[in-house]
Amino acid sequence: MLDSPSNALVSVRNLKMHFPIFAGLFRRKVGEVKAVDGVSFDIIEGETLGLVGESGCGKSTCGRSILRLYDITDGQIEIDGRDIGQTSQSYLREMRPTMQMVFQDPQASLNPRMTVEAIIREPLDEHTKLSDTEKKEKVYELMDAVGLNRRFAKRYPQAFSGGQRQRIGIARALALNPKFIVCDEPIAALDVSIQAQVVNLLEDLQEQFGLTYLFISHDLSMVRHIATRVAVMYLGKIVELAPREALYADPLHPYTKALLSAVPEPDPALATKKERVILQGDVPSPANPPKGCNFCTRCPAVMGICKTQEPEYREVEPGRFVACHNFNDQ
Amino acid sequence: MTDSTIAQPQADDKARNQWWDVWDQFKSHKGAMAGLIFLIFITLFCLLGPLLWSLDPGKLDIRNKDLRPVYVALWDGSAKTSWANPMGTDNLGRDIMANIMQGGRISLAVGWTAMVLAILIGTTIGVIAGYFRRLDGLLMRFTDLVLALPLLPLLLVMMLLFRDPLRAAFGPENGIFILIVAGIGITSWMQTARIVRGDVMALKEREFVLAARSIGTPSRRMITRHLLPNVLSPIMVSATLGLATAIITESALSFLGLGFPSDFPTWGKILFDNVDRMTRFPERVLFPGLAISLTVLSVNYIGDGLRDALDPRIRGQ
């Protein structure tokens, strides 16, 4: 379907993650929530791929499935040259140091019964054979790298602010020198001034350690700031993937257009001139997606074919992928 | 004053052992401190008491039977009292204080061991059922099954069936001790298992468990490092309640004549032996009764204080 570029660190092909729904007296399977339904993309080494979309479109599930925190329904995932789509969890353990994750809620992602030192140390305990003093030194180095005072090592997570907790989470993700980090809305739970700090920290670390990010967010301006390329998701599918500048300057897919027009414009003179695309209706349920194109129920540019046939996800211009029937003739 | 302000930053630099924080928090809980002091006192009383008070608890002294405790002489000059038996003697002339010391050893030993056994079984089953979905149904139905069994008749049947073989194997006292501890232990773990299972299921969905999985932490360390410390509070509470139930169940068994042999005092047994003469000699039920209830109460308070002290979210507030 798609040829993966030679320098891709992560390549995902036709990833599907369906959660079964059980109901009734005998808890029989009556359907499934298609949280991620056939997603394909590559992440090139050293880049940041932004993954945007509205709430519930499957962004986080996609990120977690790529790290195989779930047992995926179907598809191939290749990270650093190894196919991990169907391998068992015990075998995956050796792969874990390569791929790490930064979580959305810094409050919930840190064990309240462990000190900061113990939290950052956990990956070292699991995967390295360093001595106690070496581990301690490494923990201090990581705390320096993310800008936490070494004196805080013996404190518990609840003694920290949201931004500091997120730094603890980032330090833990960095402990094993990973190549690929999935940032699952790392800034969503933080206030604006702290958001900038954390994003800048992520950028600095990327430069310093040569990291590759999958940056999941619903904050379009933050994604514009950090991402090299951006993928837009709608109802479990990627509708458009393009380099950042091209996507923000000239969105191709009607959903991307609507999404970008919702970004507030700070200049009042421009804001009044700006044309907003306001979508009607709600997102259909991922348990019962519409026939044809997933977006056909709300699309301003809907055609007859959209309601019967699913659009193919393909490259319409070099480096720009779109799944829409409007580009069939190209 | 100035000294302390200068010393402050240095103390911060050098990391302090976390158990000192736990102890500091524990100290601030007055009930827990009172409970701890009483528990140490009663334990020392039972363990070291017989060394100082060398009267044999089983020795019959018919001439000095039915002595009242010494304090009765304060308001009743005609009462028979003696400083040789400060808590009085029973209807066969056995010294009550020596009996309470000896009985306390057995009661405390039974209580602690049965409680530890019940907590171990309950926590293991609860954690496994909560963590491994596949075993959940099986283990919880088993728990329901044991919960539905009538406890006392079951214990009586166990006593009848296993008393003689165990006595033959371990000697009369040890055999009965093992039997009672095992009997109480394996009939009182179910509540703990249910509570722990529920908590583990809720914790399993928290993000820090997902984070640990993304690091590649295997299941057994996931349980010991992330789940067990977080279910410590309910375990602690059921442990303190379990100790109380164990002491009381042992009393009930002794009362029914299926516990320890009749010449072998425990708090529950002393209590029940003297129920008939309660109106004439209230001290004979008062002392063992007080010992049981104060021990249970102090353990409850200690559990309460420990639960607060071990939770870093409460600590330091």
Side-chain angles (χ1 to χ4, degrees), chain A residues 287-323:
Chain A
N288 184 22
K291 198 166 172 256
C293 175
N294 269 350
F295 191 50
C296 72
T297 52
R298 302 167 79 196
C299 183
V302 67
M303 301 181 294
I305 187 175
C306 300
K307 293 187 175 159
T308 53
Q309 213 177 326
E310 202 180 312
E312 197 195 334
Y313 174 70
R314 63 195 186 284
E315 195 163 14
V316 291
E317 286 169 35
R320 300 199 67 170
F321 299 84
V322 175

Side-chain angles (χ1 to χ4, degrees), chain A residues 109-123:
Chain A
S109 64
L110 306 174
N111 187 342
R113 299 260 177 177
M114 282 164 87
T115 58
V116 172
E117 187 188 341
I119 290 171
I120 303 178
R121 223 180 116 123
E122 187 182 3

Side-chain angles (χ1 to χ4, degrees), chain B residues 297-312:
Chain B
L297 192 69
S298 62
V299 171
N300 276 342
Y301 270 115
I302 292 172
D304 208 31
L306 264 185
R307 192 198 54 200
D308 287 0
L310 288 175
D311 191 337

Side-chain angles (χ1 to χ4, degrees), chain A:
Chain A
M1 188 169 52
L2 294 162
D3 301 323
S4 55
S6 54
N7 53 350
L9 180 70
V10 180
S11 75
V12 177
R13 289 290 169 274
N14 198 28
L15 175 67
K16 284 183 182 162
M17 181 68 231
H18 297 177
F19 295 103
I21 307 168
F22 298 99
L25 191 60
F26 299 104
R27 301 273 109 200
R28 271 195 310 209
K29 191 176 149 187
V30 293
E32 44 192 12
V33 175
K34 295 173 178 166
V36 178
D37 195 20
V39 160
S40 306
F41 58 82
D42 295 294
I43 305 176
I44 296 157
E45 193 150 9
E47 80 163 348
T48 303
L49 179 72
L51 187 59
V52 298
E54 60 195 286
S55 301
C57 69
K59 306 183 294 286
S60 292
T61 310
C62 181
R64 291 175 181 188
S65 310
I66 292 170
L67 293 189
R68 281 294 311 281
L69 295 181
Y70 298 132
D71 286 328
I72 60 172
T73 313
D74 194 21
Q76 286 104 45
I77 304 165
E78 206 179 294
I79 294 181
D80 202 19
R82 286 167 77 178
D83 186 22
I84 60 162
Q86 306 297 335
T87 45
S88 70
Q89 291 291 346
S90 50
Y91 178 73
L92 266 174
R93 203 174 118 76
E94 306 161 28
M95 275 289 287
R96 291 286 179 205
T98 335
M99 45 189 196
Q100 286 291 310
M101 185 153 185
V102 176
F103 288 87
Q104 173 173 9
D105 184 351
Q107 165 86 53
S109 64
L110 306 174
N111 187 342
R113 299 260 177 177
M114 282 164 87
T115 58
V116 172
E117 187 188 341
I119 290 171
I120 303 178
R121 223 180 116 123
E122 187 182 3
L124 301 173
D125 287 337
E126 285 302 328
H127 290 284
T128 64
K129 294 208 177 345
L130 301 174
S131 71
D132 255 20
T133 38
E134 283 171 322
K135 280 181 192 166
K136 205 162 191 166
E137 200 38 53
K138 175 87 184 162
V139 168
Y140 284 145
E141 278 169 29
L142 287 163
M143 289 180 73
D144 290 343
V146 298
L148 280 170
N149 195 323
R150 287 181 177 207
R151 283 194 356 212
F152 297 161
K154 291 283 179 198
R155 298 199 185 169
Y156 288 87
Q158 88 279 354
F160 293 90
S161 72
Q164 286 171 318
R165 281 184 204 153
Q166 197 56 281
R167 286 165 194 266
I168 301 171
I170 294 171
R172 169 176 61 188
L174 287 174
L176 294 168
N177 304 322
K179 291 184 173 171
F180 173 54
I181 297 184
V182 172
C183 305
D184 183 6
E185 308 208 29
I187 51 169
L190 309 175
D191 68 47
V192 182
S193 56
I194 308 291
Q195 283 186 357
Q197 282 180 18
V198 170
V199 166
N200 289 339
L201 171 68
L202 285 171
E203 280 188 321
D204 292 346
L205 294 171
Q206 182 168 40
E207 217 166 278
Q208 203 179 332
F209 298 108
L211 301 170
T212 306
Y213 290 138
L214 174 66
F215 191 88
I216 301 169
S217 179
H218 53 242
D219 185 338
L220 292 165
S221 39
M222 208 48 104
V223 168
R224 187 175 195 169
H225 175 72
I226 193 171
T228 345
R229 293 190 303 150
V230 180
V232 182
M233 261 185 103
Y234 180 79
L235 207 65
K237 288 185 161 82
I238 289 189
V239 294
E240 183 166 1
L241 191 155
R244 170 184 59 182
E245 290 312 326
L247 186 107
Y248 279 87
D250 172 30
L252 295 181
H253 197 279
Y255 179 67
T256 318
K257 285 178 187 159
L259 201 63
L260 289 179
S261 83
V263 178
E265 171 61 57
D267 184 349
L270 287 174
T272 44
K273 267 188 244 163
K274 203 169 124 178
E275 207 180 316
R276 280 207 58 188
V277 187
I278 295 169
L279 295 177
Q280 302 296 321
D282 285 326
V283 186
S285 159
N288 184 22
K291 198 166 172 256
C293 175
N294 269 350
F295 191 50
C296 72
T297 52
R298 302 167 79 196
C299 183
V302 67
M303 301 181 294
I305 187 175
C306 300
K307 293 187 175 159
T308 53
Q309 213 177 326
E310 202 180 312
E312 197 195 334
Y313 174 70
R314 63 195 186 284
E315 195 163 14
V316 291
E317 286 169 35
R320 300 199 67 170
F321 299 84
V322 175
C324 182
H325 287 301
N326 283 318
F327 300 91
N328 276 355
D329 47 346
Q330 285 180 10

Side-chain angles (χ1 to χ4, degrees), chain B:
Chain B
M1 190 66 207
T2 34
D3 283 351
S4 68
T5 44
I6 292 165
Q8 204 60 45
Q10 284 174 340
D12 261 355
D13 282 338
K14 195 172 174 293
R16 187 175 125 94
N17 191 333
Q18 291 159 44
W19 291 106
W20 284 113
D21 294 340
V22 173
W23 172 239
D24 278 350
Q25 173 70 29
F26 186 82
K27 268 195 304 191
S28 72
H29 195 300
K30 290 198 184 67
M33 275 315 274
L36 184 67
I37 290 166
F38 180 79
L39 193 72
I40 291 172
F41 164 74
I42 196 95
T43 312
L44 289 180
F45 177 77
C46 295
L47 288 182
L48 303 181
L51 300 179
L52 305 171
W53 192 254
S54 49
L55 267 180
D56 179 7
K59 191 185 155 217
L60 306 179
D61 185 1
I62 293 298
R63 261 171 300 180
N64 284 326
K65 70 171 186 166
D66 288 339
L67 286 185
R68 305 296 310 271
V70 279
Y71 59 80
V72 176
L74 285 178
W75 62 82
D76 181 3
S78 63
K80 273 207 301 180
T81 58
S82 155
W83 279 102
N85 310 96
M87 285 188 191
T89 55
D90 67 2
N91 56 329
L92 295 173
R94 291 177 294 199
D95 182 50
I96 290 182
M97 193 153 93
N99 267 290
I100 285 183
M101 285 172 185
Q102 186 59 35
R105 286 180 161 193
I106 311 292
S107 284
L108 287 177
V110 168
W112 282 103
T113 348
M115 179 264 274
V116 168
L117 187 68
I119 291 297
L120 277 182
I121 302 176
T123 309
T124 314
I125 290 191
V127 165
I128 292 175
Y131 190 80
F132 300 103
R133 224 195 158 122
R134 236 173 302 158
L135 295 172
D136 183 31
L138 185 76
L139 285 175
M140 279 300 116
R141 294 302 78 73
F142 174 65
T143 309
D144 290 343
L145 180 86
V146 183
L147 210 53
L149 290 174
L151 188 111
L152 217 47
L154 181 77
L155 278 172
L156 297 183
V157 172
M158 278 175 67
M159 296 294 157
L160 285 177
L161 284 179
F162 300 117
R163 188 157 54 176
D164 294 331
L166 278 172
R167 271 182 163 172
F170 299 99
E173 278 141 37
N174 284 339
I176 276 288
F177 181 80
I178 292 170
L179 187 56
I180 287 184
V181 163
I184 296 173
I186 62 174
T187 49
S188 55
W189 53 268
M190 292 82 72
Q191 273 81 6
T192 318
R194 281 190 159 182
I195 296 168
V196 169
R197 169 195 173 250
D199 269 30
V200 166
M201 285 182 102
L203 279 172
K204 213 175 71 171
E205 301 304 320
R206 295 274 296 275
E207 256 185 350
F208 66 80
V209 173
L210 200 67
R213 197 175 303 149
S214 81
I215 286 162
T217 311
S219 296
R220 66 198 133 89
R221 279 201 287 278
M222 191 83 91
I223 289 171
T224 52
R225 192 182 289 154
H226 294 285
L227 298 177
L228 277 182
N230 280 293
V231 290
L232 203 64
S233 307
I235 292 177
M236 203 75 90
V237 173
S238 47
T240 53
L241 294 176
L243 179 71
T245 342
I247 291 180
I248 291 164
T249 313
E250 183 274 319
S251 313
L253 281 178
S254 302
F255 181 60
L256 292 170
L258 284 153
F260 288 96
S262 54
D263 54 344
F264 209 71
T266 71
W267 284 344
K269 215 159 142 4
I270 300 171
L271 187 73
F272 286 121
D273 281 350
N274 292 300
V275 164
D276 301 340
R277 300 176 197 83
M278 197 164 70
T279 42
R280 275 188 62 211
F281 304 99
E283 67 275 3
R284 289 188 195 166
V285 293
L286 208 63
F287 287 126
L290 267 182
I292 293 176
S293 43
L294 285 180
T295 306
V296 168
L297 192 69
S298 62
V299 171
N300 276 342
Y301 270 115
I302 292 172
D304 208 31
L306 264 185
R307 192 198 54 200
D308 287 0
L310 288 175
D311 191 337
R313 281 163 294 188
I314 297 173
R315 199 152 69 218
Q317 279 173 15

